[in-house]
């Protein structure tokens, strides 16, 4: 379905610029669009002002230089200086509509009479150094530097408005950042909302493919089995090294050239599968262009279970979804890129960012290659093929080669060099040995594709897990809620926030 004019393709592209990765990681933990409000409406109708903060490229080393970081303030709900809610930017542009809502965050603002602050993440959107995303600049892009950015702006705004309590919020990667903010700056951040957050850095994230299967099984085991069977058939054909079988897939799904090598098969599969990843990860997003698991399974149930009919059905979805979400627009070609070198060059070697729409893929894949991992390859053993949409032939080498090609990592690269020290520092799924307090971890109970890297049980009495089900990634945040389960999750989060703030008020009064 076409998008309404009020939404705007620019907003859609910036909000979802990361969802298709060609020649790289299959799918990022990107947050879906947060508002139907356009940037123009946010700036004019809602009186949101864009502001800029001069940040050090390398905190503590001013000689390294500076860059301008974008942020916004909405005072609509502020009735006292007691609370400030902070929407932390993640792996994409942070438009002014991020502080407009309606959302769970704006509901909290209304309940608490809070100031609402939104901050764009360093090296995304328009918060990029003047000379762009050069490799030299990317060396200053990591989680620790981003946390210092956020703390610097939060501290300044907190002082400006004489704020008592800070509540940080994020979902997906930014949800993990919210948890890490509370862990790193406990005297600054009072409460953290950590939605669908992959807090564990991991190189071999093969569980993603298993979770996509589980999501479909929750709707219809028959739908999951048929999808898995025919997805496997495509992979078995392209990895068969049988020219006839490879040519058949190349022709049916309109590859830009005949698939013949392992690298071409990997590049094709990594690009083409994104339509199903988009569909499953964002099921329930209440905006035009997003189908649900049920929509897909209902459609598949009407299709005869033959190779020709199912592949035609798959191609229909791919033809509709891939052009919407491939960025930059130059890759929205009528064919599927299978040349590894071309894909890496087009997607990850572009250092320009003239209008803010270019930052995202290059920046975040650097973070993954250097620190976070989250590479979604196939299961480690052929015996596990039946548990996942991604078979064991889709291996980690593809992602390692992409990192080397895009960022000049040395020979023998087979894991992000900073991954182990990163997990040791932040504690992965056991932050502060399980003693981190005042963090609310919100996750999809059954179908959370990133939940295996998150915290899905109470960390302790003061860091609860709030679960929802029946809808996709980060969709608990929408107002009105997309399901009854999401509504109950929102009510629980709002209650936890109020309780944590009341406890902290009592501590201040008795101090």
């Amino acid at each position: 379905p076409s998008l309404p004019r009020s939404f705007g393709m620019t907003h859609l592209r910036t909000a979802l610029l990361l969802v298709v990765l060609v020649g790289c990681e299959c799918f990022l933990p990107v947050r879906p669009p947060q508002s139907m409000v356009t940037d123009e409406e946010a700036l004019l109708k809602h009186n949101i002002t864009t502001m800029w903060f001069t940040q050090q490229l390398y905190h503590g080393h001013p000689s390294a230089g500076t860059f301008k970081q974008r942020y916004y303030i909405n005072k609509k709900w502020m009735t006292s200086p007691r609370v400030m809610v902070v929407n932390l930017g993640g792996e994409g542009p942070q438009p002014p509509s991020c502080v407009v809502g309606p959302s769970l965050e704006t509901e909290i603002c209304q309940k608490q009479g809070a100031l609402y602050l939104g901050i764009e993440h360093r090296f995304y959107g328009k918060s990029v150094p003047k000379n762009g995303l050069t490799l030299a600049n990317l060396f200053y892009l990591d989680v620790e530097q981003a946390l210092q950015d956020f703390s610097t702006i939060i501290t300044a705004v907190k002082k400006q408005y004489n704020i008592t309590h800070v509540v940080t919020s994020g979902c997906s990667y930014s949800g993990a950042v919210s948890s890490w903010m509370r862990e790193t700056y406990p005297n600054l951040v009072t409460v953290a909302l950590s939605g669908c957050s992959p807090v564990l850095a991991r190189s071999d994230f093969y569980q993603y493919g298993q979770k996509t299967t589980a999501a479909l099984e929750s709707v219809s085991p028959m739908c999951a089995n048929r999808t898995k069977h025919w997805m496997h058939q495509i992979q078995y054909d392209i990895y068969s090294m049988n020219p006839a079988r490879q040519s058949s897939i190349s022709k049916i799904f309109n590859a830009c050239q005949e698939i013949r090598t392992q690298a071409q098969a990997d590049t094709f599969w990594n690009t083409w599968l994104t339509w199903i990843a988009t569909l499953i990860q964002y099921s329930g997003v209440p905006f035009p262009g997003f189908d649900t698991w049920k929509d897909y399974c209902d459609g598949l149930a009407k299709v005869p279970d033959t190779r020709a009919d199912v592949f035609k059905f798959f191609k229909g979805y791919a033809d509709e979804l891939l052009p919407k979400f491939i960025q930059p627009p130059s890759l929205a070609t009528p064919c599927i890129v299978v040349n590894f070198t071309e894909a890496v060059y087009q997607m990850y070697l572009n250092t320009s960012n003239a209008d803010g729409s270019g930052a995202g893929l290059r920046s975040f894949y650097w973070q993954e290659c250097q620190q976070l991992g989250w590479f979604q390859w196939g299961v480690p053993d052929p015996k596990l093929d039946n548990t996942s949409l991604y078979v064991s032939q889709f291996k980690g080498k593809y992602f390692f080669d992409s990192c080397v090609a895009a960022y000049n990592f040395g020979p023998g690269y087979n894991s992000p060099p900073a991954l182990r020290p990163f997990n040791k520092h932040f504690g992965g799924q056991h932050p502060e040995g399980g003693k981190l307090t005042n963090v609310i971890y919100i996750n999809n109970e059954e179908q959370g594709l990133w939940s295996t890297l998150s915290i899905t049980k109470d960390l302790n009495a003061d860091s609860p897990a709030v679960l929802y089900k029946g809808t996709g990634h980060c969709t608990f945040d929408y107002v009105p809620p997309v399901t009854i389960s999401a509504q109950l999750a929102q009510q629980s989060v709002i209650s936890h926030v109020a309780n944590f703030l009341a406890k902290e008020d009592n501590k201040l009064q008795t101090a």
Side-chain angles (χ1 to χ4, degrees), residues 51-55 69 71 73 84 86 115 117 119 148-163 166 181 188:
M51 289 169 282
W52 300 92
F53 195 97
T54 301
Q55 292 281 15
Q69 187 165 15
Y71 69 104
I73 292 176
M84 176 169 68
V86 184
L115 180 71
L117 169 66
I119 311 172
Q148 291 188 68
D149 292 341
F150 289 136
S151 70
T152 302
I153 294 179
I154 291 171
T155 299
V157 177
K158 181 182 179 185
K159 181 179 179 180
Q160 178 183 353
Y161 289 93
N162 196 29
I163 298 294
V166 172
M181 277 293 295
L188 178 63

Side-chain angles (χ1 to χ4, degrees), residues 251-494:
K251 182 177 180 180
I252 291 171
F253 296 109
N254 199 26
C256 293
Q257 65 188 85
E258 295 275 313
I259 299 168
R260 286 293 180 268
T261 67
Q262 174 85 23
Q264 289 173 338
D266 286 340
T267 304
F268 168 84
W269 177 244
N270 191 56
T271 305
W272 184 82
L273 66 85
T274 307
W275 71 265
I276 189 76
T278 302
L279 180 75
I280 295 174
Q281 182 157 308
Y282 296 114
S283 176
V285 172
F287 295 160
F290 293 90
D291 281 357
T292 67
W293 305 319
K294 187 176 185 304
D295 295 328
Y296 165 79
C297 287
D298 287 349
L300 183 61
K302 300 174 183 177
V303 174
D305 196 29
T306 67
R307 176 187 175 96
D309 289 305
V310 173
F311 284 4
K312 182 179 179 181
F313 177 77
F314 284 172
K315 188 175 186 301
Y317 259 102
D319 288 349
E320 179 182 1
L321 292 176
L322 290 181
K324 288 181 180 179
F325 302 124
I326 288 183
Q327 297 296 328
S330 62
L331 281 185
T333 59
C335 59
I336 303 297
V337 175
V338 300
N339 182 283
F340 173 82
T341 302
E342 178 186 354
V344 170
Y345 177 80
Q346 289 182 336
M347 297 302 287
Y348 308 112
L349 297 181
N350 176 17
T351 62
S352 65
N353 187 49
D355 62 356
S357 63
L361 293 175
R362 179 167 170 80
S363 298
F364 200 66
Y365 197 52
W366 161 264
Q367 289 191 256
E368 292 192 308
C369 292
Q370 172 64 20
Q371 191 170 48
L372 301 173
W374 300 340
F375 305 129
Q376 299 149 26
W377 66 68
V379 289
D381 189 322
K383 295 178 181 178
L384 297 175
D385 280 358
N386 194 48
T387 68
S388 175
L389 291 188
Y390 309 167
V391 299
S392 54
Q393 285 99 323
F394 188 40
K395 300 181 184 299
K397 183 179 183 300
Y398 174 71
F399 302 103
F400 304 150
D401 289 347
S402 297
C403 291
V404 172
Y407 307 108
N408 299 328
F409 284 96
Y413 174 92
N414 61 7
S415 182
L419 187 148
R420 287 187 178 181
F422 180 84
N423 280 335
K424 183 177 181 179
H425 176 73
F426 287 105
Q429 292 167 308
H430 303 280
E432 295 186 357
K435 296 179 181 179
L436 179 64
T437 61
N438 289 18
V439 181
I440 305 166
Y441 295 98
I442 314 159
N443 273 290
N444 186 311
E445 182 176 2
E446 299 170 346
Q447 302 98 358
L449 303 192
W450 293 84
S451 61
T452 53
L453 304 180
S454 190
I455 295 171
T456 57
K457 296 181 179 180
D458 292 353
L459 190 64
N460 54 62
D462 292 316
S463 282
V466 174
L467 304 179
Y468 67 99
K469 59 184 178 181
T471 185
H473 191 61
C474 296
T475 49
F476 68 86
D477 194 53
Y478 291 108
V479 173
V482 295
T483 64
I484 296 296
S485 179
Q487 181 180 19
L488 294 174
Q490 287 186 8
Q491 292 171 354
S492 178
V493 170
I494 291 170

